[in-house]
Amino acid sequence: MYTDFQQDASVRRALLTFFSWLLPRIPQSDIMPHAPLLLLFTTSAQTHIFPEIRIDAIRFLDLFLEHIPRAVTVGWDYNGHGSRVLEGYLGILNAGTKFGEADGPVQATSTASVVLTPASKLVVLHSLSMFLQTCLSNDIGLSTSASHHPPSSLLNTWFLLPSFARPGDYYSFEQIFQTSQSSTYNCCQWRENVDPEDNEDDFPGTFTAAETPILSDDFTLQKLADISDVTGSSEYDAVNDHKAELVARLARTLQSTLIATFLDCAPSVFMPSGNPSETQVQLVLAVGQIARTLYNVVLQASTSSKAKSTASDDLNTFLGYMTPYFPFSLLGTKDVKVEQAFQELNLIFSELTSLLVLTSNAEISRLTSRGKARQVNSLASGNKLYNSLSIQIERVSNYILQLLSGGPISGSQLGRTLTPAAYASLLPVVWALLNNTGSVYQCSTSSAILNAVISHSMKTSSKSALKRLTIEFVARLVLLSTDPRYHGHFQLNNDLTGVAKVHEWVSHLPQPLWEIGASNLPASEVSSIQSLLATSKIDL
């Protein structure tokens, strides 16, 4: 059977069709015992001498990623099935070894020079994007992982963490937004007599300090006072730093492939009056998705300044090729798939820009705290990253203003309603613009961004799934300035127009509370909490 799989394309197609029918009908627990053998044959096919067999192996991996993702990705960062799968992706792309070379050029994984057609390259890049998202889904927003962060709300506000002196202060602030239904803590009813065989002593939380001694014998009272920060970051951050370093090398390895693919497709895809092929559009989208997945992990992690600086420069180079085409749009197109792809590309570009802005802000804060103001001032004139950021920030600001207002992105496009996922992906860049330090680049539209965010929250229908997210985010902006533990640059009181808009927003909160009623209890609870808190914190 395996010999036929290698030699006959019709056998591979028939087997792929059969698996597409079979796997959805079998429980995952029944497939898992056979996963190692399936992956053994598939990873072997990934390294076959004939490119068409490699491509078919990728199609099988897509099926396995859909139905047994854990089996495909396990061990991607060490010697496991995931590692061999990743090497197979890079081999067919001729991208180099899995993690490249720490101090030297990237080595090729295959001696065979494979030139893929656009359709075949799309299969590989789309599958690689799925693979990386599955591997790193728990590591995007490293500082606010569910295992480390209380399940306070629907929003992942990892970008607010650097604005607090300690992680514990940030987590305490986020607890304000916890509703009764968002908590995953288990509650046990007290009983006078307990059966030791019940196994119901389920305590909420994990207690790392009880399992592993993290304080030496010479611990001080100050160390004991900060034990929440120690237990929350020691072992967990060490693992994530290791992963982030591997991902940083992987991003460096893939950079030339991503840039080359984008440059090959961009002229025809973004021609104003052109009619791009769906394959080329999806290729550009896959490139953007891979970049977003990788750089989200690297630039959110607490890795070394040198690693972040290298990743920032690489990302800036990548965005430099995308900037002339942003915002991405086509005149007169009626292809829904193309419009959706362009909208996601716009969101990806905005999100990647926010990573650069947030990273540069953190670097400025680090230098300022060490009394190196001269180095901060020299960044404006001597650093390519900060010079190009000014152009990107201006374009992204205008795009966000148009998007939040519901207006068209180009003269021929209709305004689009934001989805909750799209809104959540915009928040990092919105915060980056609002919290702009102003030391290196000025964002003249920060006040306009604040007004647009508040106006969008007020005009969003109470029945919309987006309403709760808009209330939660605006409430955070309102309450941040009143929290003594917050030390970010953004201060609501510095914007008189924004303060007036906030008063208007607070006054409107009873309306969605009344309209939602009992139909959406979490949203009602959020509206009630934010209305009471905002009213008590702000002098109306």
Side-chain angles (χ1 to χ4, degrees):
M1 179 68 178
Y2 182 59
T3 303
D4 292 337
F5 177 88
Q6 287 184 312
Q7 296 178 352
D8 196 332
S10 62
V11 172
R12 296 196 298 271
R13 285 194 298 268
L15 188 59
L16 187 64
T17 302
F18 174 67
F19 273 19
S20 301
W21 172 86
L22 178 66
L23 293 182
R25 291 166 169 79
I26 303 178
Q28 188 178 104
S29 57
D30 293 340
I31 305 175
M32 290 300 291
H34 307 283
L37 185 60
L38 291 172
L39 289 171
L40 178 63
F41 286 126
T42 306
T43 53
S44 176
Q46 271 187 290
T47 59
H48 200 277
I49 190 173
F50 295 121
E52 60 270 19
I53 295 180
R54 296 189 186 188
I55 298 300
D56 283 339
I58 299 295
R59 293 189 172 100
F60 279 94
L61 283 176
D62 287 345
L63 276 177
F64 300 151
L65 281 169
E66 181 180 356
H67 299 288
I68 47 172
R70 172 65 179 169
V72 179
T73 60
V74 65
W76 72 269
D77 52 346
Y78 57 90
N79 191 21
H81 282 302
S83 175
R84 290 187 287 275
V85 170
L86 183 53
E87 288 175 347
Y89 283 123
L90 299 182
I92 195 170
L93 289 171
N94 289 319
T97 54
K98 178 174 57 173
F99 303 126
E101 292 291 333
D103 299 304
V106 174
Q107 296 178 353
T109 58
S110 173
T111 57
S113 178
V114 178
V115 179
L116 298 176
T117 64
S120 296
K121 181 175 281 191
L122 176 59
V123 172
V124 179
L125 290 178
H126 180 265
S127 183
L128 176 59
S129 177
M130 290 174 54
F131 177 83
L132 293 174
Q133 289 177 32
T134 305
C135 290
L136 303 172
S137 58
N138 293 329
D139 299 301
I140 296 175
L142 289 170
S143 55
T144 55
S145 173
S147 63
H148 192 164
H149 180 267
S152 58
S153 71
L154 295 176
L155 292 179
N156 182 355
T157 56
W158 59 268
F159 45 86
L160 296 179
L161 178 59
S163 297
F164 291 83
R166 302 188 310 168
D169 295 337
Y170 164 73
Y171 301 144
S172 297
F173 175 76
E174 282 294 305
Q175 285 287 350
I176 298 174
F177 304 91
Q178 184 172 349
T179 64
S180 58
Q181 295 190 11
S182 66
S183 176
T184 59
Y185 294 161
N186 296 323
C187 298
C188 299
Q189 185 175 3
W190 180 86
R191 292 176 296 174
E192 184 176 358
N193 298 316
V194 179
D195 185 351
E197 297 182 359
D198 281 352
N199 293 325
E200 290 187 3
D201 288 335
D202 209 0
F203 296 96
T206 57
F207 306 96
T208 309
E211 300 172 359
T212 306
I214 58 173
L215 294 176
S216 59
D217 294 336
D218 61 343
F219 69 87
T220 63
L221 183 61
Q222 181 62 37
K223 286 184 179 180
L224 190 61
D226 294 335
I227 193 163
S228 61
D229 293 339
V230 176
T231 58
S233 61
S234 57
E235 180 181 353
Y236 179 78
D237 287 347
V239 173
N240 282 327
D241 286 349
H242 173 68
K243 279 189 177 182
E245 290 175 3
L246 297 181
V247 176
R249 288 201 227 163
L250 179 59
R252 197 76 193 272
T253 298
L254 284 169
Q255 186 195 26
S256 59
T257 300
L258 299 181
I259 290 177
T261 303
F262 180 84
L263 292 178
D264 286 343
C265 300
S268 58
V269 169
F270 301 121
M271 187 178 298
S273 57
N275 185 23
S277 69
E278 184 178 347
T279 298
Q280 289 183 317
V281 172
Q282 293 301 320
L283 268 173
V284 173
L285 180 59
V287 165
Q289 290 170 338
I290 292 172
R292 175 175 60 185
T293 301
L294 295 175
Y295 288 109
N296 255 313
V297 173
V298 177
L299 296 181
Q300 289 182 36
S302 55
T303 52
S304 65
S305 298
K306 181 180 179 181
K308 280 194 172 183
S309 176
T310 301
S312 297
D313 290 340
D314 290 344
L315 177 56
N316 183 56
T317 300
F318 178 73
L319 289 180
Y321 292 109
M322 299 181 73
T323 301
Y325 302 103
F326 180 82
F328 310 110
S329 61
L330 278 178
L331 296 176
T333 182
K334 296 182 180 180
D335 191 327
V336 176
K337 288 185 177 180
V338 172
E339 286 195 6
Q340 290 176 343
F342 276 32
Q343 184 182 33
E344 185 172 355
L345 274 173
N346 285 324
L347 295 175
I348 289 173
F349 183 92
S350 301
E351 191 172 349
L352 292 176
T353 300
S354 74
L355 290 174
L356 286 181
V357 176
L358 293 169
T359 303
S360 64
N361 282 347
E363 178 65 12
I364 292 170
S365 299
R366 186 182 67 86
L367 293 175
T368 303
S369 64
R370 297 184 178 184
K372 299 180 179 180
R374 183 176 298 178
Q375 286 185 244
V376 174
N377 294 331
S378 66
L379 289 175
S381 57
N383 192 302
K384 180 181 177 181
L385 169 62
Y386 293 94
N387 294 336
S388 59
L389 263 181
S390 300
I391 301 174
Q392 293 162 3
I393 287 173
E394 182 180 0
R395 295 195 177 200
V396 170
S397 299
N398 293 333
Y399 169 73
I400 290 176
L401 289 173
Q402 291 178 323
L403 199 59
L404 292 177
S405 67
I409 302 305
S410 66
S412 63
Q413 280 187 316
L414 298 177
R416 286 187 172 273
T417 302
L418 277 173
T419 63
Y423 183 81
S425 68
L426 281 179
L427 297 186
V429 70
V430 169
W431 173 249
L433 297 174
L434 293 177
N435 197 45
N436 170 34
T437 61
S439 301
V440 176
Y441 44 78
Q442 293 290 338
C443 180
S444 58
T445 58
S446 59
S447 178
I449 292 289
L450 177 61
N451 288 330
V453 169
I454 299 174
S455 298
H456 177 263
S457 177
M458 289 192 295
K459 72 181 182 182
T460 300
S461 170
S462 301
K463 303 295 184 181
S464 170
L466 193 60
K467 187 66 174 181
R468 178 182 174 182
L469 299 184
T470 66
I471 291 177
E472 282 201 22
F473 182 64
V474 175
R476 281 172 170 81
L477 298 181
V478 173
L479 298 178
L480 272 175
S481 300
T482 66
D483 195 313
R485 299 162 298 186
Y486 166 75
H487 60 79
H489 180 75
F490 169 74
Q491 294 292 336
L492 183 61
N493 293 333
N494 294 338
D495 188 345
L496 296 180
T497 305
V499 171
K501 201 72 176 179
V502 166
H503 291 168
E504 184 181 350
W505 176 81
V506 172
S507 300
H508 110 286
L509 286 178
Q511 178 183 351
L513 179 61
W514 173 265
E515 292 176 350
I516 295 173
S519 62
N520 189 340
L521 292 179
S524 296
E525 189 173 353
V526 167
S527 299
S528 303
I529 293 173
Q530 309 323 321
S531 180
L532 291 173
L533 287 173
T535 303
S536 63
K537 295 286 186 179
I538 297 179
D539 182 13
L540 294 174

